[in-house]
Amino acid sequence: MNDRAPLVRAEAMIVRLPLLQPFVTGFGVTDSRHTVVVHLVDESGNEGWGEGPALDHPFYLPETTATTYAVVTEYALPLALRSGSLEPREIATVLSRIRGNGFARAGVEAAYWSLEAARSGRSLRDLVGGTRPAVPVGESISITETVEQTVEVARERVAAGYRRIKLKIQPGWDVEVVRAVRDALGGDVMLQTDANAAYTLADADTLAALDEFDLACIEQPLGWDALPEHAVLQRRIRTPICLDESLRSPADVHRALDLDACRNVNCKPARVGGITATLQIAALCEQRGVPLWCGGIMESGIGRAGNLALASLPAFNHPADMSPAAELFAWDLVDPTYELDPDGTIRVPTDPGLGFPVREDRIAEQLVRRDVLLGDGPQPSP
Ligand code: OSB
Ligand code: MG
């Protein structure tokens, strides 16, 4: 029943997503969050939704909300529309002409994936080849004022069911806090750290001191683009290095594995350029037997829908970063949104299309800017 109806509307928006608490990491404090939303509608009324969830600032990666929006509205969405294709993998190929700017490409491509799911009456999970009914998840814990506060949060999270705890670390906030949390939680809880590029090779001894805590991995200890340096560090520590910031395409993952710069992969679908790129990374990690998991970047439910579908693939064999929307934001852009079940999993929607009802009224209330590239409707804001 594949519907052949053409597109009648295509628009991009910047939407405010108020955080309940600042997120504190090795790259600094994130206390303001906007996100880029892409919306497609075809003549039969099928809808596609995608998100390009760069952060507002350039302290995690070079892209920001503003640069992502510019690339979406000036290049990615126009290129996709001009191609005339509605096939998501063809759209990924069209967008591959754009260098970098993974968040912008991912946002546009995701809208075509969820549109295709709606048009074919399938769930996003089935469309991407996901199999699990539910995805095990862990929690990413901000840097806090005191070690006791982090221990308290980690205890609460384990009691809530989370399958894995990830502690944000930075120089001066590492061995002591990891020891305290390991002592409090015991040896059975899966524990890992994320430095968000806050260390250099001069800190190798400190990072090696984390070996005694049986961590599942140390995420991005060194510079955001420091692949060879991570290979040097991996030779000096036993704990597997996981890369996040340094992996921005399937080619980056290839290079990192060939260099032995990491032995564990955090794949954030938006960071690597989208769903098609993620499927390539999943195939590569599966072939090489490398632990793979789905990272998050505090997306709204629109972005999380794609993450959930992908994290349900068998290649994703380590718990995902997917703090529930209710813990991150005053509200989500989808309602009902996803929730943590007491067994530490999040159910993967099986409804056709995106799988979550989008709250267009909330998007309208929180709208900062909108550009309509195809169809009638509100004029682009000044
Ligand atoms: O480094 O994984 C990271 C959030 C924003 C920016 C960077 C990171 C994160 C997280 C994920 O840790 C939290 C989540 O989305 O649930
Ligand atoms: Mg990270």
Side-chain angles (χ1 to χ4, degrees):
M1 65 162 227
N2 216 328
D3 201 324
R4 305 305 306 164
L7 286 180
V8 294
R9 186 173 178 86
E11 58 184 344
M13 292 161 274
I14 296 179
V15 184
R16 204 168 70 92
L17 209 53
L19 293 172
L20 291 174
Q21 293 177 49
F23 190 61
V24 187
T25 74
F27 60 71
V29 178
T30 300
D31 51 14
S32 157
R33 211 241 183 290
H34 294 74
T35 195
V36 174
V37 173
V38 179
H39 182 209
L40 303 173
V41 186
D42 76 10
E43 204 175 48
S44 306
N46 296 304
E47 290 184 281
W49 291 94
E51 180 172 0
L55 298 181
D56 289 6
H57 55 69
F59 306 135
Y60 165 67
L61 282 177
E63 299 160 75
T64 68
T65 307
T67 66
T68 297
Y69 191 70
V71 174
V72 164
T73 53
E74 293 173 32
Y75 297 98
L77 195 46
L79 276 173
L81 294 172
R82 246 184 281 134
S83 77
S85 175
L86 290 175
E87 209 286 304
R89 284 182 173 83
E90 284 174 16
I91 295 298
T93 303
V94 167
L95 298 179
S96 69
R97 206 178 140 202
I98 296 173
R99 307 245 162 112
N101 290 287
F103 290 106
R105 285 183 283 122
V108 171
E109 190 204 347
Y112 281 87
W113 278 96
S114 69
L115 177 70
E116 175 58 23
R119 286 161 74 91
S120 59
R122 300 171 70 188
S123 67
L124 204 48
R125 184 192 73 173
D126 290 350
L127 199 62
V128 304
T131 52
R132 279 188 208 107
V135 169
V137 299
E139 169 100 314
S140 179
I141 300 179
S142 266
I143 291 166
T144 54
E145 299 269 318
T146 66
V147 169
E148 292 68 35
Q149 282 169 334
T150 289
V151 168
E152 192 49 40
V153 177
R155 276 211 178 94
E156 279 169 26
R157 297 313 189 235
V158 171
Y162 287 98
R163 300 283 186 95
R164 180 270 286 152
I165 296 295
K166 165 168 141 182
L167 301 178
K168 293 289 188 180
I169 59 168
Q170 65 182 5
W173 183 263
D174 41 45
V175 179
E176 186 193 351
V177 71
V178 173
R179 173 175 288 119
V181 170
R182 178 52 95 199
D183 286 350
L185 301 183
D188 289 343
V189 171
M190 189 174 185
L191 187 62
Q192 66 193 55
T193 59
D194 184 1
N196 287 109
Y199 295 85
T200 70
L201 272 178
D203 302 305
D205 289 342
T206 304
L207 296 165
L210 295 172
D211 275 344
E212 72 170 284
F213 305 111
D214 192 27
L215 302 176
C217 59
I218 299 179
E219 189 175 330
Q220 198 71 41
L222 309 179
W224 70 280
D225 59 352
L227 267 196
E229 291 86 342
H230 280 100
V232 173
L233 180 67
Q234 184 68 87
R235 289 201 288 274
R236 294 185 52 182
I237 66 176
R238 230 177 327 118
T239 308
I241 292 176
C242 169
L243 290 177
D244 171 354
E245 285 89 329
S246 289
L247 306 178
R248 300 180 300 281
S249 66
D252 283 343
V253 179
H254 235 286
R255 266 191 288 271
L257 296 179
D258 284 351
L259 281 170
D260 195 24
C262 71
R263 298 177 181 170
N264 182 301
V265 170
N266 169 339
C267 180
K268 296 184 188 178
R271 188 196 69 227
V272 300
I275 291 177
T276 304
T278 298
L279 294 173
Q280 289 164 6
I281 290 168
L284 178 63
C285 290
E286 201 159 41
Q287 186 203 334
R288 304 244 188 142
V290 177
L292 169 69
W293 53 288
C294 182
I297 180 162
M298 303 188 294
E299 299 91 342
S300 79
I302 294 173
R304 295 286 214 214
N307 292 4
L308 273 170
L310 289 160
S312 80
L313 287 158
F316 284 82
N317 49 18
H318 179 118
D321 256 347
M322 204 151 334
S323 299
E327 282 178 28
L328 294 174
F329 310 118
W331 55 77
D332 199 354
L333 304 183
V334 302
D335 190 9
T337 184
Y338 61 100
E339 283 172 8
L340 185 76
D341 284 331
D343 67 349
T345 66
I346 293 176
R347 256 165 302 127
V348 186
T350 50
D351 291 346
L354 185 73
F356 292 104
V358 174
R359 285 284 299 263
E360 288 192 65
D361 57 332
R362 274 192 201 148
I363 291 179
E365 279 164 25
Q366 301 302 323
L367 193 65
V368 172
R369 186 164 172 181
R370 178 199 327 251
D371 285 85
V372 179
L373 279 84
L374 176 70
D376 303 320
Q379 290 307 302
S381 45

